[in-house]
Amino acid sequence: QVQLVESGGGSVQTGGSLRLSCAASGRTFSSYTGGWFRQAPGKEREFVAAISWSGGSTSYADSVKGRFTVSRDNAKNAVYLQMNSLKPEDTAVYYCAARFGWVHTIVAVTTAYDYWGQGTQVTVSS
């Protein structure tokens, strides 16, 4: 089992920045892909970014490329999402997720992940 807890959400104005953190406990998190997803009211949960166990591979949704950066620190059992140039359409609950191993073709698929955090709210006002 892997337990995930997100933090760092909040309210910012358009153009602002936030850094989300995901703290993992349980099994050796360094073997797991770390993913970030988000869900806005009335919408389905969507992929944001993912990072392989080594940090050597990353993947981003087109909507956040160039603005968001995913990273990890296996010594701290943590995955991060640095969000810059935030827009109102980035407003959502952000979830951290984990799956064993990296498979590039499915890292953006919600059902590919076995473990989920409780989510943290990000609100961007215009």
Side-chain angles (χ1 to χ4, degrees):
Q1 290 289 334
V2 175
Q3 292 79 41
L4 304 172
V5 178
E6 303 95 336
S7 62
S11 297
V12 296
Q13 292 187 329
T14 297
S17 297
L18 283 173
R19 187 192 193 209
L20 304 184
S21 298
C22 175
S25 61
R27 292 187 175 181
T28 305
F29 188 60
S30 60
S31 300
Y32 287 75
T33 289
W36 287 98
F37 290 76
R38 66 187 181 186
Q39 188 166 18
K43 295 186 177 181
E44 293 187 354
R45 193 169 297 189
E46 65 175 6
F47 171 73
V48 176
I51 186 167
S52 64
W53 65 272
S54 67
S57 297
T58 57
S59 180
Y60 294 92
D62 288 343
S63 59
V64 306
K65 281 180 181 177
R67 300 188 298 122
F68 291 10
T69 302
V70 61
S71 62
R72 69 188 298 158
D73 184 340
N74 287 337
K76 296 182 178 179
N77 278 349
V79 176
Y80 307 99
L81 185 68
Q82 177 67 43
M83 305 186 296
N84 298 328
S85 302
L86 283 162
K87 305 174 181 180
E89 51 264 43
D90 294 318
T91 296
V93 177
Y94 282 71
Y95 297 91
C96 177
R99 59 160 282 112
F100 186 80
W102 172 270
V103 181
H104 180 73
T105 54
I106 63 171
V107 292
V109 178
T110 306
T111 54
Y113 290 78
D114 301 305
Y115 304 101
W116 292 85
Q118 82 291 347
T120 185
Q121 177 71 47
V122 171
T123 302
V124 185
S125 59
S126 58

